[in-house]
Amino acid sequence: MITGELKSKVDRVWDAFWSGGISNPLEVTEQITYLLFIKRLDEIQTRKDEQVNRTGKPDPDPLFTEDNRELRWQNFKARSPEAMYGIVEQGVFPYLRAMGGGDSTYSHHIRDARFTIPTPNLLAKVVSLVDAISTEWSGTEGDIYEYMLTKLATAGQNGQFRTPRHIIELMVEMTQPKPDDEVCDPACGTAGFLVQTASYVKREHSKVLLGAKQKTHFNGSMFHGFDFDSTMLRIGSMNMLLHGIENPDIRYRDSLAEPAASESERYSLILANPPFAGSLDYHSTAADLLSLVKTKKTELLFLTLTLRILKPGGRAAIIVPDGVLFGSTKAHKELRRILVEDHKLDGVVKLPSGVFKPYAGVSTSILLFTRTDAGGTDNVWFYDVQADGFSLDDKRTPLLLEDRLGVRPTAGSLSEADHTKNNLPDTLSRWLDRGGRECSRARSEQSFCVPKSDIVAQGYDLSLNRYAERPRYLTVGGRVTMVDLMGAALLTEGMQLVFERAGASYSARVTAEGWLELAGGQQFPSPNRAAAAAAGEGTIDGWEAWALEDGTTLDQLRHKFLDTPAVGIPSPADAALAKHTPAEPSNSDVAPPSVTVQRNYATQHPGITEDARQIQSVNEPSREEYEDAPVVGLTVGDLPSALGGVVFVPPSATFDEAITRMVINDYSQLPVLSGRNLRGAVTWQSIARARHANNNPPFPRAIVQAREASYNQDLIDILPILAESEFVLVRNQRNEIAGIVTASDVAAAYGAMSTPFFLIGELDKRLRQVLASSIKFSEVQGLCDPEGNRSIKGFNDLSIGDYQRVLENKEAWEKVGWSLDRKIFIERLDEIRQIRNDLMHFNPEPLPHNSTHKIRHMINVLREYGN
């Protein structure tokens, strides 16, 4: 660990580069790496000279001789800036490139060294700063270089970015490297995984490393890293060198393009965060990888490569995008099946979606598995990491003091409050106990185990949300809202709410409609969207963030609301009327809901495909995302009729009784219940068939099988059932029949979701036709893109905002020829543009009826006035 003073000195080196005209962080790192290597050579020669003085024997292989002694760091650093610049540019760097044929790993990567420091003064300043740092870094060279690497705050090409050191530390601690391991990172970048592995082995097996054989293995044959970026290879090699590994195997290799035969079954531990930027052509991919799983996806190919180069019995920890866990392609499913059936899948650790910011906001997980070639998966351990010690925005600000960060905080055990900000120590602790108490944890906890049989039954889906039980906060089939809290007098109009984030404070006022109004006047129906808008982020759980002046959060109010069913809660009949569904008649054969208000726990599934996952609709976020993002689809319990109670008949009923109940309620079917047991259902069709076969049949002849579903099933999963039987009975969390869902219920739900999209499409089409028939495209292009910075090649490339820009122009408006007030029309068009933006950002709150009405009416106006 380095001190704040040393960090400050490193910062001054970077500031010198940036003020000197080199602003690319990768180039800065590369130039510093060259200077460090040059200084390292001088230090090695100094030790050689001391040995010559002690022994009197000449050095058989000096790095510097009398002929080139001016190239040594200690000599040129004292020269004038101009003289130093000439020596470094014309002497030192050609010397480095000439070393490219040497035996060391680093020498192979120095052959194309480029000197890009632009001025003598900048070189002199940087050399002086580096020299001052190095005098204080005894024993901390590696830590200082690691700190330098944190400055690489821009993503590279091909999906490359630096893995946070604490995430690397977690993966290393979980895999527990041994001194006889051969460790590989097939996409090593700056070699962070290898460096952390070396530190772990030094700490845990220091005595073993004293042996000559083991020391040789540690320095020469234990660590292997591949990359196809020469800059990364140089940086990675220097990182290893400064951490005391003398000759690691860091080499150029296009891991996915080159056959893996030479590396097959070679490594006992693989740690990696491979790039997952997209797809490769089949002809660009090694044939032996495609023979296992045919795919173009880089993330799947790297997993396949890992299985190829692991030794039997070898273990791996790999970071993958969440799509790998639930993707529906044949390759996705087959690779997951292989991991579960042919090898031993040990664990899945879900990481927060902001863990790789500012590089990327992609959701990722860590897969931990062992190659066995003979199966062995019994239970798969899952952990939901919700906090890693840093804010999940682009700034990634530490949330705790330094001694409470990381996997093994130096402050010791964390308090419960600290745990909410740093889950990593708990992750490691529970992982090490996965064969003990972890096996009995409930799936509503942060970690739990899932039997292999359950995973097989779910088609080898490995997404944590498929198995985790999460609070859905349902009240008679609908979610708890701000309006509910106001109805229960837990919130009142005008109340002030506040929350703090990253040192900033935000406030909002509760409106009469149960919305939150920010200081700037923006209003939001969802606390999550209000919090995200206030802080300028998209990943905030507003229920947890917003609090009253006394510190009570909205989430605490929501729990209080659910725990007091007598306060402000509608009855089932009231709820039915509110949702425009017929209330159940009051008689003894109406099965009452198990409770008036239920805190339901749903098994959530992120989606059928990665694309579908991006467009599903929800009313509240899942816990792990902390945002109003479309993380999960509708569940059966989201439909009003699913948990609103059912009208039923017993098996002893008569035909007249069943028919009467169906007629007066306008039902097409009735469940048949005997106590709590489902016997089946009767429908108009089953009654007609029973009476057609027999003039006087007993009532049970009309009973047919009834399909059923759990309230927490994904709605999309029951569509095939509804296609066959047109209805499905719903069981609540107490396993009681609590409602019924029909095909028309589902059609209404999906219709409500899709209608606004169709309306926006219709409006867009008509506006486009109006402009195309009235105004030349060149004029439109000039109004929408006067600087020529956008690729607008036709009317089809215009947005609603572009239509607004055109019609705001007086001359363009006159060409359209409408006898309407331009200002009023533009104001309404701007309102619709904002509605459209809200819709296209997949706001999980349903569009207010008034918003839909505005779009419909504007379409009617365009029909009437359009050309």
Side-chain angles (χ1 to χ4, degrees):
M1 186 178 296
I2 63 175
T3 64
E5 184 179 356
L6 272 176
K7 289 181 179 179
S8 178
K9 290 184 177 181
V10 173
D11 291 343
R12 287 201 289 274
V13 175
W14 278 77
D15 291 342
F17 272 104
W18 288 4
S19 62
I22 300 182
S23 57
N24 183 336
L26 198 59
E27 184 179 2
V28 173
T29 303
E30 190 174 27
Q31 293 302 301
I32 291 176
T33 300
Y34 291 139
L35 293 177
L36 289 174
F37 186 64
I38 294 166
K39 190 174 188 305
R40 184 80 171 194
L41 293 177
D42 187 35
E43 291 167 352
I44 294 173
Q45 185 61 59
T46 298
R47 290 199 296 270
K48 285 173 169 281
D49 293 343
E50 291 172 351
Q51 185 175 2
V52 168
N53 293 333
R54 283 197 311 270
T55 63
K57 297 179 180 179
D59 181 0
D61 186 26
L63 293 172
F64 298 97
T65 64
E66 285 299 318
D67 295 335
N68 61 6
R69 61 190 308 272
E70 68 173 358
L71 306 183
R72 294 184 64 170
W73 178 279
Q74 61 179 279
N75 293 330
F76 69 69
K77 73 175 184 180
R79 304 290 293 273
S80 68
E82 289 74 15
M84 182 194 305
Y85 194 85
I87 292 171
V88 172
E89 181 184 36
Q90 300 171 26
V92 174
F93 270 74
Y95 170 71
L96 292 180
R97 288 191 287 269
M99 291 180 64
D103 294 331
S104 72
T105 296
Y106 197 86
S107 65
H108 292 301
H109 308 314
I110 208 72
R111 66 184 65 179
D112 57 348
R114 297 179 308 112
F115 179 61
T116 62
I117 296 176
T119 65
N121 286 335
L122 176 58
L123 174 63
K125 186 174 184 179
V126 171
V127 166
S128 176
L129 290 170
V130 170
D131 196 61
I133 292 173
S134 63
T135 60
E136 302 180 36
W137 75 358
S138 177
T140 63
E141 299 100 320
D143 287 339
I144 290 177
Y145 195 67
E146 278 285 310
Y147 177 68
M148 288 182 181
L149 295 184
T150 64
K151 303 290 186 177
L152 291 176
T154 55
Q157 297 177 348
N158 304 314
Q160 296 172 344
F161 49 80
R162 186 172 180 273
T163 310
R165 186 170 182 178
H166 57 286
I167 300 301
I168 292 175
E169 181 187 7
L170 173 65
M171 295 168 67
V172 170
E173 294 280 346
M174 294 178 78
T175 53
Q176 297 179 299
K178 301 184 294 290
D180 58 349
D181 271 323
E182 284 204 46
V183 187
C184 178
D185 180 350
C188 67
T190 63
F193 282 103
L194 301 179
V195 164
Q196 189 62 37
T197 301
S199 298
Y200 178 93
V201 173
K202 285 180 179 178
R203 186 190 77 210
E204 297 294 324
H205 304 283
S206 57
K207 293 182 179 179
V208 177
L209 293 181
L210 296 176
K213 181 179 179 181
Q214 198 62 54
K215 187 175 182 180
T216 300
H217 172 64
F218 183 85
N219 284 302
S221 58
M222 183 174 184
F223 302 101
H224 308 263
F226 313 142
D227 211 295
F228 54 64
D229 186 317
S230 58
T231 300
M232 288 295 108
L233 290 171
R234 276 192 292 275
I235 294 172
S237 294
M238 175 57 73
N239 201 10
M240 295 292 283
L241 186 65
L242 293 176
H243 278 87
I245 298 92
E246 296 173 3
N247 194 24
D249 175 25
I250 306 292
R251 55 189 157 97
Y252 177 90
R253 178 180 170 82
D254 191 340
S255 293
L256 300 184
E258 298 179 30
S262 62
E263 308 295 326
S264 181
E265 300 186 4
R266 181 175 175 183
Y267 306 105
S268 59
L269 176 59
I270 294 179
L271 297 155
N273 179 16
F276 33 85
S279 302
L280 297 178
D281 293 331
Y282 287 136
H283 70 269
S284 302
T285 306
D288 55 351
L289 297 183
L290 295 176
S291 65
L292 184 61
V293 175
K294 189 172 184 180
T295 180
K296 296 180 179 180
K297 292 285 188 181
T298 55
E299 56 266 31
L300 299 184
L301 290 169
F302 267 106
L303 269 179
T304 304
L305 174 67
T306 299
L307 290 172
R308 287 296 306 272
I309 64 179
L310 264 182
K311 294 178 179 179
R315 58 214 188 279
I318 309 292
I319 295 175
V320 297
D322 278 357
V324 169
L325 307 181
F326 60 80
S328 62
T329 70
K330 182 178 179 181
H332 281 92
K333 292 179 178 179
E334 176 60 13
L335 191 51
R336 295 197 300 265
R337 187 201 66 78
I338 290 172
L339 286 173
V340 173
E341 297 287 0
D342 299 345
H343 305 285
K344 185 175 183 291
L345 179 61
D346 298 302
V348 178
V349 177
K350 180 169 178 56
L351 298 175
S353 60
V355 76
F356 291 114
K357 287 186 177 182
Y359 316 113
V362 62
S363 295
T364 58
S365 295
I366 303 169
L367 278 181
L368 298 113
F369 56 90
T370 304
R371 176 176 173 177
T372 65
D373 296 334
T377 303
D378 184 12
N379 289 301
V380 178
W381 179 81
F382 288 84
Y383 191 101
D384 183 7
V385 178
Q386 299 174 4
D388 69 337
F390 298 81
S391 64
L392 297 175
D393 53 17
D394 286 347
K395 296 180 181 179
R396 295 291 276 145
T397 307
L399 302 177
L400 296 167
L401 296 176
E402 191 169 9
D403 63 356
R404 286 170 171 76
L405 295 175
V407 183
R408 294 184 179 273
T410 56
S413 299
L414 298 184
S415 67
E416 187 61 33
D418 289 341
H419 166 73
T420 62
K421 299 175 182 179
N422 178 15
N423 297 168
L424 302 189
D426 186 58
T427 307
L428 178 61
S429 175
R430 294 196 187 195
W431 163 258
L432 298 177
D433 189 37
R434 65 190 182 281
R437 288 175 299 175
E438 290 298 293
C439 293
S440 60
R441 286 190 184 275
R443 295 189 187 181
S444 58
E445 296 191 53
Q446 197 163 6
S447 66
F448 52 86
C449 290
V450 178
K452 174 188 170 184
S453 58
D454 286 11
I455 291 174
V456 174
Q458 296 295 342
Y460 300 101
D461 191 312
L462 298 178
S463 53
L464 180 142
N465 289 337
R466 169 58 83 176
Y467 308 101
E469 295 175 343
R470 293 292 187 249
R472 301 284 287 187
Y473 306 114
L474 296 184
T475 168
V476 198
R479 300 185 191 281
V480 177
T481 65
M482 295 272 291
V483 174
D484 292 321
L485 300 185
M486 293 187 72
L490 296 172
L491 284 179
T492 59
E493 180 185 359
M495 272 190 172
Q496 293 293 320
L497 300 176
V498 296
F499 84 93
E500 294 185 359
R501 190 172 180 87
S505 180
Y506 307 97
S507 63
R509 183 185 69 87
V510 179
T511 70
E513 297 79 16
W515 288 34
L516 286 182
E517 182 179 82
L518 302 182
Q522 286 180 289
Q523 295 185 3
F524 299 91
S526 161
N528 308 299
R529 289 178 53 75
E537 304 174 24
T539 55
I540 300 179
D541 181 358
W543 289 91
E544 293 276 3
W546 292 111
L548 302 177
E549 293 180 356
D550 64 359
T552 303
T553 66
L554 289 180
D555 184 61
Q556 291 171 324
L557 292 180
R558 177 166 60 181
H559 280 269
K560 185 176 181 180
F561 173 83
L562 290 167
D563 291 337
T564 54
V567 180
I569 312 299
S571 67
D574 294 336
L577 288 171
K579 295 180 180 294
H580 308 288
T581 59
E584 317 298 353
S586 176
N587 60 60
S588 60
D589 291 330
V590 176
S594 57
V595 287
T596 304
V597 179
Q598 304 174 31
R599 181 178 303 158
N600 289 332
Y601 287 85
T603 300
Q604 301 176 0
H605 178 42
I608 301 306
T609 66
E610 292 177 68
D611 292 334
R613 186 172 185 264
Q614 300 304 313
I615 61 172
Q616 293 168 329
S617 174
V618 292
N619 294 328
E620 286 301 334
S622 64
R623 272 174 43 190
E624 79 279 8
E625 295 296 343
Y626 292 142
E627 63 179 23
D628 273 347
V631 178
V632 295
L634 292 174
T635 63
V636 175
D638 288 319
L639 298 185
S641 62
L643 297 173
V646 291
V647 175
F648 72 96
V649 291
S652 59
T654 65
F655 279 99
D656 289 345
E657 183 180 349
I659 291 171
T660 302
R661 292 200 182 282
M662 292 169 69
V663 168
I664 66 174
N665 289 292
D666 193 24
Y667 291 161
S668 299
Q669 60 280 312
L670 284 176
V672 180
L673 298 179
S674 177
R676 296 181 59 175
N677 297 322
L678 176 65
R679 298 301 186 189
V682 292
T683 68
W684 289 121
Q685 187 179 47
S686 72
I687 292 172
R689 285 182 174 179
R691 288 188 161 181
H692 185 268
N694 189 320
N695 289 332
N696 190 26
F699 180 72
R701 287 283 182 89
I703 300 175
V704 296
Q705 180 184 6
R707 304 293 295 274
E708 57 184 272
S710 174
Y711 73 95
N712 57 19
Q713 277 187 256
D714 290 320
L715 187 58
I716 198 169
D717 289 344
I718 71 166
L719 296 184
I721 300 175
L722 290 173
E724 294 177 7
S725 59
E726 297 186 353
F727 72 97
V728 61
L729 298 170
V730 182
R731 290 190 180 274
N732 60 23
Q733 66 188 49
R734 295 185 180 181
N735 205 34
E736 300 166 336
I737 298 296
I740 187 170
V741 169
T742 66
S744 61
D745 293 326
V746 175
Y750 282 120
M753 292 166 56
S754 61
T755 296
F757 287 91
F758 289 116
L759 291 176
I760 288 292
E762 174 72 10
L763 178 70
D764 180 84
K765 178 182 177 181
R766 290 188 176 276
L767 281 170
R768 194 184 317 130
Q769 289 174 340
V770 167
L771 296 189
S773 63
S774 307
I775 308 173
K776 293 180 180 179
F777 176 69
S778 58
E779 297 177 25
V780 171
Q781 193 176 34
L783 291 171
C784 297
D785 185 24
E787 303 297 327
N789 295 326
R790 297 169 56 196
S791 179
I792 300 179
K793 299 179 180 178
F795 285 97
N796 287 340
D797 295 326
L798 301 179
S799 66
I800 291 181
D802 290 324
Y803 304 146
Q804 186 176 334
R805 293 184 190 94
V806 173
L807 295 176
E808 283 175 338
N809 181 272
K810 184 177 180 181
E811 294 180 0
W813 176 266
E814 291 174 350
K815 290 181 180 180
V816 171
W818 286 339
S819 55
L820 298 171
D821 186 89
R822 177 165 56 98
K823 181 179 178 181
I824 296 175
F825 185 92
I826 293 300
E827 287 177 352
R828 176 52 56 88
L829 190 58
D830 186 59
E831 290 180 41
I832 293 176
R833 178 186 62 80
Q834 294 181 42
I835 294 170
R836 182 264 181 202
N837 289 345
D838 202 31
L839 180 67
M840 293 306 174
H841 282 85
F842 303 107
N843 175 8
E845 303 290 343
L847 275 182
H849 175 73
N850 187 44
S851 296
T852 306
H853 175 75
K854 288 178 181 178
I855 303 173
R856 287 186 186 276
H857 193 67
M858 182 63 91
I859 291 173
N860 290 334
V861 169
L862 293 176
R863 285 173 178 166
E864 185 176 349
Y865 285 86
N867 297 337

